[in-house]
Amino acid sequence: MVETRDPDCLFCKIAAGELNTPFLVETDDVVAFADIAPQAPTHVLVVPKRHISSASALNGDDAGLLSELVAVANQVAKEQGVDQSGYRILTNVGDDAGQTVHHLHLHVLGGRPLATLG
Ligand code: AMP
Ligand code: ZN
């Protein structure tokens, strides 16, 4: 059984509307909101309402949710006007990747050329 809510989790609180964070997109299962410390002109986080610690905790039952997360990321990119110039969708898993909030989130970054990885 997958947890639905972690009482100590920042993104659970944000997704539940408890911090009055403005949502750029909201669906039944997903919210998108601006990153508080943007690394690019467009920097939006796409977050499932259900608590999932990271992408490593996803399984086959979550295929629909993962598809929705990507669809919302693409919608955000379009609404932010970066769909033609290009954007990056990324998610950090664990310490070496720099994951600081242990609730799954997709970063949507764009609006300037982004450094290549590696
Ligand atoms: P990560 O390092 O991949 O776990 O990403 C966590 C992201 O959450 C960082 O980019 C932070 O700037 C962002 N963040 C932390 N607190 C908030 C908040 N209250 N509202 C919006 N974004 C936040
Ligand atoms: Zn959470």
Side-chain angles (χ1 to χ4, degrees):
M1 179 69 183
V2 182
E3 286 176 85
T4 58
R5 171 83 196 239
D6 175 341
D8 298 324
C9 173
L10 173 64
F11 284 1
C12 280
K13 290 180 182 143
I14 288 178
E18 291 171 8
L19 302 186
N20 293 320
T21 308
F23 294 146
L24 304 176
V25 178
E26 180 174 13
T27 69
D28 284 349
D29 299 316
V30 173
V31 294
F33 52 90
D35 195 290
I36 202 168
Q39 304 297 308
T42 291
H43 190 173
V44 174
L45 302 175
V46 182
V47 174
K49 292 182 178 177
R50 174 158 66 87
H51 183 82
I52 300 171
S53 57
S54 78
S56 71
L58 290 169
N59 61 46
D61 293 340
D62 300 314
L65 177 63
L66 183 55
S67 170
E68 188 168 340
L69 287 164
V70 173
V72 169
N74 290 337
Q75 181 184 340
V76 164
K78 199 163 188 174
E79 289 177 2
Q80 297 273 311
V82 299
D83 55 318
Q84 297 301 313
S85 50
Y87 53 101
R88 180 170 292 157
I89 299 173
L90 71 84
T91 189
N92 293 317
V93 179
D95 292 343
D96 278 0
Q99 185 181 6
T100 57
V101 177
H102 294 277
H103 179 131
L104 174 65
H105 49 283
L106 303 185
H107 296 255
V108 182
L109 294 148
R112 66 167 172 79
L114 300 166
T116 53
L117 298 177

